[in-house]
Every structure is written in structure tokens, then in C-alpha cells.
Amino acid sequence: MFRKRFMPVLITVILGISMVLSGCSQQSELTKVKLSEVTHSVFYAPQYVAMSKGFFKEEGLEVELTNGQGADKVMTAVLSGQVDIGFAGPEASVYVHNEGKEDNSVVFAQLTNGDGTFLMGREPDPDFKWSDLKGKTVIGGRKGGMPAIVLQYVLSKNGMAAGKDVTIDTTMQFAAMPGAFIGGQGDYVIIFEPTASSMEKEGKAYIVASLGKESGEIPYTAYFAKKSMIEKNPELIQKFTNAIYKGQKWVASHTPEEIALAIKLQFPEENDQILISAIKRYKEQNSWKTDPILQENDFYLLQQIIKDAGELNKIAPYEKVVTKQFGENAIKNVK
């Protein structure tokens, strides 16, 4: 009688315990990947979507994300082994290669398709022209970094030269720039979202132009790791690239409102409408790549822009600094 009454309950309990243990086992089997990002911005929405939607976990990975606060610091963390993967401008890998480092960093996936900063002034200026910057000082980020380089590129497209017509302040890291501008330094500043919209909402600065719209498509932010790390862990790099590609596909097929909801945990204190408007801006200017491959012609365009800015003495070979095999495999296998 006892066996008949309690056997179904006992089986249910055993099955439940088994499922819990199985779940714990699957959780413990996740491979931890240490990732350092150059800064924390809505500009990197596909990455945050890959985290929140479980795309990394689907690939058996657990991402430990830290803010490196600058491409130079991210690269230092990668080369010293403090992190597995770096996320910053591809120019950082070009510089390392050109320094002759044997175990140089190699770019294996690209996320953003152009500049993600916005030029901000102290007053609203709906009639802003780039020629208005003549004789002015723009806080432009670290010397040799992508924001300052693209700013120089945009100035040259508009018939002006940095140092001659416009002063670019390259004495500070990006994290310090909003506070410096609010504190009275510079006439203009370039800022990523959502900080740009937050400053505008608070009346501390006003968006007058988009560097992304003006510069066009440029390989701006990408993932890289030491050559030895990629050679020893190709499966991990492939899984990581697969997850990023899933994030790119998801962002491409969803609305700003849906994307804002998906990445909200990354920006818990940010106003929902600011997140949505920032995402709309990035969508409208085609900021996010729809696949993870850094193409050869784009890589050489980037280097030419850096060279024209006076930050590059020689052109690095594509095959030494970039690999597209992981991006190609992701496109082939991720449906």
C-alpha cells in the first residue's frame, strides 16, 4: 500500500533532483571568458544583447566583462594575460604589430561599422556647420585613438586641419571628458551614447553633429586576442564569434524599443527614453555591422586614415593582424 501511494511522488522527486543537478552541471560546464571593453556604451548594443539573450551561454561561454577605459589599457590587459579578449579599435592591434611584437594581437571579429561619437557644444545649434569649429578647441580623447583620428578625418573632409584650424585636446581618457567639458574645458567635446543624450537632457551640453554620419563606414570597434591564445583556443574564439553574430542578427531584426529592453540591465540607472533615442540614432546611421568580418579593403582604409592623421608610419599586412575565418564560419553555421 505504501509503495503504491508514494512511488509516483518518489519518482517525481527523484526526477526533479536529477533535473536540478543536470542544470547545475551544465552551468558549471560553462567556460569563463574574460573580456575587456574600451568603454561602456549603447554603441555596443549587439554585445550586450548577446549577453542578455543567452547567446554566449548557448555557446557554452560565461563572459566576465570589465571596462578597460581606453584602448591602450585594454591592449595592455590582453598582452599581459589579464584578460582573454579585448574589445577596442582595430588601430590598437596595428600599433602592436608595427612595434614588432612576436605574439601580437589579432582581430577576429568586428562589431561596429563607423564612429559612435557625437559632437557636443555648449548651446543648441540646429544650423551647425563644421566650419564653425575654426579657431575652436575640441576635447577629442586619447592621442592615436579612434575618436581623435576620425575627428581629424572629418575635419580634413571639410577643408580644415587639426592643429592649424582646430585644436584637438588629446590629453585625457574618454571617462574624464564629460566632466572636463562640464567643468569649462574646451569649446566642443565628442561623446558616446547614452552619455551624450543624458548631458543634453540635463542641459549641460547639446548634440550638434554626428561623427558617424559625417565619416561614413569605418571599422571602428573589434574583438582581438593574442595570436598564441587564438592558436591554442580556436574553438573558444569560434564560440565567442558565433555569439556576437547572433547578437548582430538580433539587433538588426528588432526595434529600438526591444533593443533598449534587452540591454537595460547594462544601463540600470539610464532613462528608458534616452536609451531608445540613442539606439535610434545608431540604427539610423548604420553603426552596427550585420556580420563579424573585418574586410580587407576596410582595414586598409582605416590605416590610411590613421596615416593621414600622422599616427602611422607603415601599413600593416591584413593577414598579419586580421583573421576572418571565425566570422566566415559563424555566417556559415549560425542560422
Side-chain angles (χ1 to χ4, degrees), residues 5 32 34 37 39 51 54 61 63 66 82 84 107 145 148 159 177 179 202 219 225 237 255 262 267 277 297 304 326:
R5 183 180 302 172
K32 182 174 286 187
K34 293 182 179 180
E37 61 179 358
T39 190
M51 295 173 72
L61 303 178
V63 172
T66 56
Q82 296 174 50
D84 304 303
V107 175
M177 288 164 57
E202 294 168 6
I237 297 297
T255 66
F267 305 93
S277 67
N297 59 332
Q304 189 59 53
F326 301 102

CSV table of all heavy atoms in Angstrom, one decimal, residues 5 32 34 37 39 51 54 61 63 66 82 84 107 145 148 159 177 179 202 219 225 237 255 262 267 277 297 304 326:
chain,number,residue,atom,x,y,z
A,5,ARG,N,1.2,4.1,-3.0
A,5,ARG,CA,0.8,5.5,-2.7
A,5,ARG,C,1.9,6.5,-3.0
A,5,ARG,O,1.7,7.6,-3.5
A,5,ARG,CB,0.3,5.7,-1.3
A,5,ARG,CG,-0.2,7.0,-0.9
A,5,ARG,CD,-0.7,7.1,0.5
A,5,ARG,NE,-1.8,6.2,0.8
A,5,ARG,CZ,-2.3,5.9,2.0
A,5,ARG,NH1,-1.8,6.5,3.0
A,5,ARG,NH2,-3.3,5.0,2.1
A,32,LYS,N,34.6,30.2,-18.7
A,32,LYS,CA,34.6,31.6,-18.4
A,32,LYS,C,35.6,32.3,-19.4
A,32,LYS,O,36.7,31.9,-19.6
A,32,LYS,CB,35.1,31.9,-17.0
A,32,LYS,CG,35.1,33.4,-16.6
A,32,LYS,CD,35.4,33.6,-15.1
A,32,LYS,CE,34.2,33.2,-14.3
A,32,LYS,NZ,34.4,33.6,-12.8
A,34,LYS,N,37.3,36.1,-20.0
A,34,LYS,CA,37.5,37.5,-19.5
A,34,LYS,C,37.6,38.5,-20.7
A,34,LYS,O,38.5,38.3,-21.5
A,34,LYS,CB,38.7,37.6,-18.7
A,34,LYS,CG,38.6,36.7,-17.4
A,34,LYS,CD,39.9,36.9,-16.5
A,34,LYS,CE,39.7,36.1,-15.2
A,34,LYS,NZ,41.0,36.2,-14.4
A,37,GLU,N,36.3,45.7,-22.4
A,37,GLU,CA,35.8,46.7,-23.4
A,37,GLU,C,36.4,48.0,-23.2
A,37,GLU,O,36.7,48.5,-22.1
A,37,GLU,CB,34.3,46.7,-23.3
A,37,GLU,CG,33.7,47.2,-22.0
A,37,GLU,CD,32.2,47.3,-22.0
A,37,GLU,OE1,31.5,47.0,-23.1
A,37,GLU,OE2,31.6,47.6,-21.0
A,39,THR,N,35.1,51.0,-23.5
A,39,THR,CA,34.3,51.9,-22.7
A,39,THR,C,32.9,51.2,-22.6
A,39,THR,O,32.7,50.2,-23.3
A,39,THR,CB,34.2,53.3,-23.2
A,39,THR,OG1,33.5,54.2,-22.2
A,39,THR,CG2,33.4,53.4,-24.5
A,51,MET,N,24.7,38.9,-24.4
A,51,MET,CA,24.8,38.5,-23.0
A,51,MET,C,23.4,38.3,-22.4
A,51,MET,O,23.2,37.3,-21.8
A,51,MET,CB,25.6,39.6,-22.2
A,51,MET,CG,27.0,39.8,-22.6
A,51,MET,SD,27.9,41.2,-21.9
A,51,MET,CE,28.0,40.6,-20.2
A,54,GLY,N,21.3,35.3,-23.7
A,54,GLY,CA,21.9,34.0,-23.5
A,54,GLY,C,22.6,33.4,-24.7
A,54,GLY,O,22.9,32.2,-24.7
A,61,LEU,N,29.6,29.5,-23.0
A,61,LEU,CA,30.6,30.5,-22.5
A,61,LEU,C,29.9,31.4,-21.4
A,61,LEU,O,28.7,31.7,-21.5
A,61,LEU,CB,31.1,31.4,-23.6
A,61,LEU,CG,31.8,30.8,-24.8
A,61,LEU,CD1,32.2,31.8,-25.8
A,61,LEU,CD2,33.0,30.0,-24.3
A,63,VAL,N,30.7,35.1,-19.9
A,63,VAL,CA,31.5,36.3,-20.2
A,63,VAL,C,31.7,37.1,-18.9
A,63,VAL,O,30.7,37.5,-18.3
A,63,VAL,CB,31.0,37.2,-21.3
A,63,VAL,CG1,31.8,38.5,-21.4
A,63,VAL,CG2,31.1,36.4,-22.6
A,66,THR,N,34.7,43.6,-18.2
A,66,THR,CA,35.2,44.7,-17.4
A,66,THR,C,35.4,45.9,-18.4
A,66,THR,O,35.6,45.7,-19.6
A,66,THR,CB,36.6,44.4,-16.8
A,66,THR,OG1,37.5,43.9,-17.8
A,66,THR,CG2,36.4,43.3,-15.7
A,82,GLN,N,45.9,39.4,-18.5
A,82,GLN,CA,44.9,39.7,-17.5
A,82,GLN,C,43.5,39.4,-18.0
A,82,GLN,O,42.6,39.0,-17.2
A,82,GLN,CB,45.0,41.2,-17.1
A,82,GLN,CG,46.3,41.6,-16.5
A,82,GLN,CD,46.3,43.1,-16.3
A,82,GLN,OE1,45.4,43.7,-15.7
A,82,GLN,NE2,47.4,43.7,-16.7
A,84,ASP,N,41.3,37.6,-21.6
A,84,ASP,CA,41.4,36.7,-22.8
A,84,ASP,C,41.2,37.4,-24.1
A,84,ASP,O,41.9,37.2,-25.1
A,84,ASP,CB,40.3,35.6,-22.7
A,84,ASP,CG,40.5,34.8,-21.4
A,84,ASP,OD1,41.6,34.2,-21.2
A,84,ASP,OD2,39.5,34.7,-20.7
A,107,VAL,N,42.9,40.6,-34.7
A,107,VAL,CA,41.5,40.9,-34.7
A,107,VAL,C,40.7,39.7,-35.4
A,107,VAL,O,41.1,39.3,-36.5
A,107,VAL,CB,41.2,42.2,-35.5
A,107,VAL,CG1,39.7,42.5,-35.7
A,107,VAL,CG2,41.9,43.4,-34.9
A,145,GLY,N,44.0,57.4,-30.7
A,145,GLY,CA,42.8,56.6,-30.5
A,145,GLY,C,41.8,56.9,-31.6
A,145,GLY,O,41.9,57.9,-32.3
A,148,ALA,N,39.8,60.5,-31.8
A,148,ALA,CA,40.6,61.6,-32.2
A,148,ALA,C,40.9,61.5,-33.7
A,148,ALA,O,41.0,62.5,-34.4
A,148,ALA,CB,41.8,61.7,-31.4
A,159,GLY,N,37.8,70.5,-45.2
A,159,GLY,CA,38.8,71.5,-45.5
A,159,GLY,C,39.5,72.2,-44.4
A,159,GLY,O,40.0,73.3,-44.5
A,177,MET,N,36.3,63.0,-20.0
A,177,MET,CA,35.9,64.0,-20.9
A,177,MET,C,34.6,64.8,-20.6
A,177,MET,O,34.5,66.0,-20.7
A,177,MET,CB,35.9,63.5,-22.4
A,177,MET,CG,37.3,63.3,-22.9
A,177,MET,SD,37.4,62.2,-24.4
A,177,MET,CE,36.4,63.1,-25.5
A,179,GLY,N,33.1,65.3,-17.7
A,179,GLY,CA,33.3,66.1,-16.5
A,179,GLY,C,34.2,67.3,-16.9
A,179,GLY,O,33.9,68.4,-16.4
A,202,GLU,N,20.1,67.1,-19.4
A,202,GLU,CA,20.4,67.9,-18.2
A,202,GLU,C,20.8,69.3,-18.5
A,202,GLU,O,21.0,70.2,-17.6
A,202,GLU,CB,21.5,67.2,-17.4
A,202,GLU,CG,21.1,65.9,-16.8
A,202,GLU,CD,22.3,65.1,-16.3
A,202,GLU,OE1,23.4,65.6,-16.3
A,202,GLU,OE2,22.1,63.9,-15.9
A,219,PRO,N,35.9,50.6,-40.0
A,219,PRO,CA,35.9,49.6,-38.9
A,219,PRO,C,36.4,50.2,-37.6
A,219,PRO,O,37.5,50.5,-37.4
A,219,PRO,CB,36.9,48.6,-39.5
A,219,PRO,CG,37.8,49.3,-40.4
A,219,PRO,CD,36.9,50.4,-41.0
A,225,ALA,N,42.6,39.1,-29.7
A,225,ALA,CA,43.3,38.3,-28.7
A,225,ALA,C,44.7,38.1,-29.2
A,225,ALA,O,45.0,38.3,-30.3
A,225,ALA,CB,42.5,37.0,-28.5
A,237,ILE,N,37.3,30.8,-29.4
A,237,ILE,CA,37.2,32.0,-30.3
A,237,ILE,C,36.0,31.9,-31.2
A,237,ILE,O,35.2,32.8,-31.5
A,237,ILE,CB,38.5,32.3,-31.1
A,237,ILE,CG1,39.6,32.6,-30.1
A,237,ILE,CG2,38.3,33.5,-32.0
A,237,ILE,CD1,39.4,33.8,-29.2
A,255,THR,N,13.4,46.2,-33.0
A,255,THR,CA,13.2,47.7,-32.9
A,255,THR,C,14.0,48.3,-31.8
A,255,THR,O,14.5,47.6,-30.9
A,255,THR,CB,11.7,48.0,-32.5
A,255,THR,OG1,11.4,47.5,-31.2
A,255,THR,CG2,10.8,47.3,-33.5
A,262,ALA,N,16.3,44.9,-23.9
A,262,ALA,CA,17.2,43.8,-23.8
A,262,ALA,C,18.5,44.2,-23.2
A,262,ALA,O,19.2,43.4,-22.5
A,262,ALA,CB,17.5,43.2,-25.2
A,267,PHE,N,22.5,49.2,-18.3
A,267,PHE,CA,22.4,50.7,-18.0
A,267,PHE,C,21.2,50.9,-17.1
A,267,PHE,O,20.2,51.6,-17.4
A,267,PHE,CB,22.2,51.4,-19.3
A,267,PHE,CG,23.2,51.2,-20.3
A,267,PHE,CD1,23.1,50.2,-21.3
A,267,PHE,CD2,24.4,51.9,-20.3
A,267,PHE,CE1,24.1,49.9,-22.2
A,267,PHE,CE2,25.4,51.7,-21.3
A,267,PHE,CZ,25.2,50.7,-22.2
A,277,SER,N,16.2,56.6,-27.7
A,277,SER,CA,16.6,57.6,-28.7
A,277,SER,C,18.1,57.4,-29.1
A,277,SER,O,18.4,57.6,-30.3
A,277,SER,CB,16.5,59.0,-28.0
A,277,SER,OG,17.4,59.2,-27.0
A,297,ASN,N,39.6,45.5,-47.5
A,297,ASN,CA,39.6,46.9,-48.0
A,297,ASN,C,39.3,47.9,-46.9
A,297,ASN,O,39.8,49.0,-46.9
A,297,ASN,CB,38.6,47.1,-49.2
A,297,ASN,CG,37.2,46.7,-48.8
A,297,ASN,OD1,36.9,45.9,-47.9
A,297,ASN,ND2,36.2,47.3,-49.5
A,304,GLN,N,44.9,54.0,-43.7
A,304,GLN,CA,45.2,55.2,-44.5
A,304,GLN,C,44.7,56.4,-43.7
A,304,GLN,O,45.4,57.5,-43.7
A,304,GLN,CB,44.5,55.2,-45.9
A,304,GLN,CG,44.9,56.3,-46.8
A,304,GLN,CD,46.4,56.3,-47.1
A,304,GLN,OE1,47.0,55.3,-47.5
A,304,GLN,NE2,47.0,57.5,-46.8
A,326,PHE,N,36.9,33.0,-38.4
A,326,PHE,CA,35.8,32.8,-37.4
A,326,PHE,C,34.5,33.4,-37.8
A,326,PHE,O,33.5,32.9,-37.6
A,326,PHE,CB,36.4,33.2,-36.1
A,326,PHE,CG,37.6,32.5,-35.6
A,326,PHE,CD1,38.8,33.2,-35.7
A,326,PHE,CD2,37.5,31.2,-35.1
A,326,PHE,CE1,40.0,32.5,-35.3
A,326,PHE,CE2,38.7,30.6,-34.7
A,326,PHE,CZ,39.9,31.2,-34.8
